[in-house]
Amino acid sequence: MSLLFTPFHLLSPRGGLALSNRIVVAPMCQYAALDGAPTDWHLMHWGNLLNSGAGLFTIEATAVLPEGRITHACLGLWDDRLEAAMADTLHRARALAPTVMTRAHLDTVRDAFVAAALRAQRLGVDAIELHGAHGYLLHEFLSPLSNQRDDVYGGTLQNRMRYPLEVFDAVRAAYQGVLGIRISASDWVEGGWDVAQSAELAQQLKARGCDFIHVSSGGLSPAQKITLGPGYQVPFARAVREASALPTIAVGLITQAEQAESVLQAGDADLVALARGFLYDPRWGWHAAAALGGTVAGKENYWRSLPREAQAVFGPVAIGVR
């Protein structure tokens, strides 16, 4: 039996979120949320990445579609301020030096995360994923490459984790739905953030009520040297999952149905995310179900669309004669 097309339940203080399968669409602003679907918001502060022309604070809305796919839409709250963990920048060729965040700045941003989470709760959003990966603000605090502060938020691993954990704690206290986080498990730079530190962070998050972790990598430093290959980030997901026992999403050059299935069968992760794969093939879930003998929920107007070899993808549906 295909694990990719078995249900999964994400726990939360108010009861959790039932997913009909293990397929996740990674957030790349490529989809719009649909009415009537369970929704998830992706909360982030761009930090140093504002140098690339991005917004200061961004909310990505996510929806779990009837067939189990998860989709995203993006809203940016634009500002001309540039704040980061430290005043230096890793992106010297194209960036203005950011302002180092003071205690007051840190509190303001933490409270903005909380305010966004409370809005999500009032709207009935089922899940939130904090963005702590890819060079965004929370990642900047974690990595010794981008955090060389000399206060309680810099230096040791415990100090560098302090602010991301403060943000998580504040959002967790305010929000009763499913709450998880996306991390970069490695900077792919010697002396940077790595999988051992990620495992420690995951353990701390688990103890604080984190409901899932989404394991990516890189995105902080232009000096990164990534070893690309099919499923190249899956070993990071496995290491974090084994260390923390958190429900874990694996992502990164997972493109084929059989490959996604093998990640789950090996116990490397609990869910599998694709991004560019869905950009190329928006019906990837249907095609994977056909290949693996799984089923998805499809709207009635699509029932006639399936080719003969994929007739079972929507389950035992009855198509009338016309």
Side-chain angles (χ1 to χ4, degrees):
M1 180 179 179
S2 168
L3 281 179
L4 193 63
F5 291 94
T6 56
F8 193 80
H9 190 79
L10 290 168
L11 298 175
S12 78
R14 71 177 182 209
L17 179 63
L19 303 177
S20 60
N21 59 55
R22 313 294 184 94
I23 303 170
V24 175
V25 179
M28 293 181 69
C29 303
Q30 71 267 53
Y31 289 99
L34 298 187
D35 291 341
T39 55
D40 157 68
W41 278 10
H42 196 238
L43 302 184
M44 68 193 79
H45 184 295
W46 288 79
N48 222 348
L49 291 181
L50 187 60
N51 282 294
S52 64
L56 173 66
F57 198 88
T58 307
I59 300 168
E60 290 194 34
T62 306
V64 184
L65 303 186
E67 59 267 34
R69 292 189 294 111
I70 298 181
T71 69
H72 288 74
C74 186
L75 168 66
L77 306 179
W78 307 101
D79 201 307
D80 59 2
R81 290 173 296 170
L82 180 57
E83 301 169 339
M86 64 182 189
D88 198 6
T89 174
L90 296 172
H91 304 278
R92 297 177 191 275
R94 60 174 173 80
L96 299 172
T99 299
V100 64
M101 296 181 72
T102 65
R103 174 73 258 182
H105 292 146
L106 296 175
D107 291 347
T108 296
V109 171
R110 179 204 61 207
D111 293 347
F113 273 98
V114 170
L118 289 172
R119 289 194 294 273
Q121 188 151 268
R122 287 196 300 271
L123 290 169
V125 171
D126 297 288
I128 286 175
E129 181 179 277
L130 299 178
H131 200 341
H134 303 160
Y136 290 79
L137 183 70
L138 300 184
H139 184 187
E140 289 178 10
F141 271 88
L142 292 171
S143 175
L145 300 178
S146 51
N147 182 355
Q148 296 169 19
R149 298 171 68 105
D150 58 5
D151 61 4
V152 296
Y153 293 103
T156 67
L157 174 59
Q158 294 301 318
N159 280 0
R160 286 183 279 113
M161 290 192 300
R162 189 183 307 275
Y163 185 63
L165 291 175
E166 284 182 2
V167 171
F168 180 87
D169 287 344
V171 174
R172 177 74 289 173
Y175 180 73
Q176 299 303 301
V178 172
L179 177 61
I181 190 169
R182 196 177 205 206
I183 68 165
S184 283
S186 172
D187 287 336
W188 296 95
V189 178
E190 186 175 354
W193 183 255
D194 58 25
V195 70
Q197 295 172 92
S198 297
E200 174 64 24
L201 174 65
Q203 292 170 357
Q204 296 269 352
L205 289 164
K206 170 77 170 179
R208 286 168 157 80
C210 188
D211 299 315
F212 70 90
I213 191 163
H214 188 169
V215 183
S216 187
S217 73
L220 180 88
S221 170
Q224 64 186 17
K225 298 186 184 302
I226 299 176
T227 304
L228 290 174
Y232 70 104
Q233 295 175 152
V234 170
F236 295 149
R238 183 182 184 94
V240 168
R241 183 175 186 263
E242 289 180 344
S244 67
L246 276 171
T248 302
I249 303 172
V251 67
L253 289 185
I254 299 171
T255 59
Q256 304 300 315
E258 294 80 5
Q259 179 192 11
E261 179 70 21
S262 69
V263 170
L264 300 178
Q265 293 287 352
D268 294 327
D270 301 286
L271 301 107
V272 175
L274 289 81
R276 293 168 182 85
F278 268 104
L279 287 173
Y280 179 72
D281 179 9
R283 301 300 184 198
W284 190 93
W286 294 12
H287 301 151
L292 299 174
T295 60
V296 296
K299 292 186 177 181
E300 186 173 353
N301 53 313
Y302 289 109
W303 291 357
R304 294 177 181 274
S305 70
L306 297 176
R308 185 177 300 275
E309 64 272 17
Q311 285 295 304
V313 164
F314 293 150
V317 298
I319 302 174
V321 177
R322 66 175 185 179

